[in-house]
């Protein structure tokens, strides 16, 4: 059995290159709602799947997404990656039912654009898709986590 590394919020934010105080503000504001649960006095612990959401959240904000939209997409993609650990890519599929519509699926299950007009997907017409290279993201997170573990100190 392989033990998955877990990172505290402080270490996770360093790995994801996101400011810890801004992250905590987004959790409190509800724009990032897939942070690992915790209780007062205990640190959140992020496993590699939790890190996908945090890493992607930062990337999407850098790409110009609003924080609320970045949180929604990052959390959906992370959950799909958790449920499909062998999938190399996850696609976020948006429909025509408003800006908050959409969900994430393994890329191989999403029809190609030439089939969008003849098929519905999850009960809706596809408006657009965004595919994320989850395999590469997992590799980057593992690399930066190992790097972080090599320098971790008593304050972490």
């Amino acid at each position: 059995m392989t033990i998955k590394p877990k990172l505290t919020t402080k270490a996770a934010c360093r790995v994801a290159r996101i400011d810890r105080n801004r992250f905590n503000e987004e959790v409190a504001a509800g724009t990032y709602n897939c942070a690992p649960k915790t209780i007062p006095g205990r640190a959140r612990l992020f496993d590699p799947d939790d890190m996908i959401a945090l890493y992607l959240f930062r990337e999407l904000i850098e790409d110009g997404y609003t924080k609320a939209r970045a949180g929604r997409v990052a959390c959906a993609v992370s959950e799909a990656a958790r449920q499909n650990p062998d999938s190399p890519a996850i696609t976020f599929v948006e429909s025509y039912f408003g800006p908050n519509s959409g969900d994430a699926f393994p890329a191989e299950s999403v029809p190609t654009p030439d089939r969008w007009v003849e098929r519905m997907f999850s009960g809706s017409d596809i408006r657009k898709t965004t595919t994320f290279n989850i395999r590469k993201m997992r590799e980057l997170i593992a690399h930066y986590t190992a790097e972080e573990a090599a320098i971790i100190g008593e304050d972490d």
Side-chain angles (χ1 to χ4, degrees):
M1 181 170 110
T2 304
I3 297 175
K4 291 182 179 183
K6 295 201 180 221
L7 298 169
T8 63
T9 300
K10 189 174 186 179
C13 287
R14 282 194 302 256
V15 166
R17 300 184 319 271
I18 189 168
D19 181 88
R20 183 176 57 148
N21 292 326
R22 299 300 81 75
F23 164 75
N24 286 329
E25 289 169 4
E26 298 311 322
V27 172
T31 55
Y32 186 89
N33 64 10
C34 60
K37 302 297 181 219
T38 189
I39 58 172
R42 290 224 174 135
R44 291 182 198 279
L45 295 177
F46 290 74
D47 68 25
D49 290 313
D50 297 321
M51 289 301 300
I52 290 173
L54 187 59
Y55 197 90
L56 186 55
F57 179 66
R58 190 237 341 126
E59 286 187 335
L60 292 172
I61 290 170
E62 288 178 356
D63 286 347
Y65 281 55
T66 66
K67 291 175 182 175
R69 181 110 178 103
R72 178 161 165 30
V73 172
C75 291
V77 169
S78 174
E79 183 57 30
R82 184 184 303 277
Q83 292 175 4
N84 301 278
D86 296 326
S87 185
I90 299 293
T91 299
F92 189 80
V93 179
E94 296 178 54
S95 72
Y96 285 96
F97 294 121
N100 291 325
S101 68
D103 207 354
F105 305 91
E108 60 271 14
S109 71
V110 177
T112 57
D114 61 323
R115 309 266 334 256
W116 289 1
V117 295
E118 61 189 60
R119 286 183 57 188
M120 303 269 285
F121 190 70
S122 292
S124 172
D125 291 317
I126 296 173
R127 183 172 76 85
K128 74 176 184 176
T129 64
T130 306
T131 301
F132 299 93
N133 185 346
I134 296 301
R135 177 179 290 145
K136 183 64 175 181
M137 194 176 300
R138 286 184 191 280
E139 290 171 3
L140 289 169
I141 290 166
H143 170 80
Y144 294 131
T145 297
E147 197 172 76
E148 180 69 21
I151 59 170
I152 202 159
E154 291 180 20
D155 293 338
D156 297 312

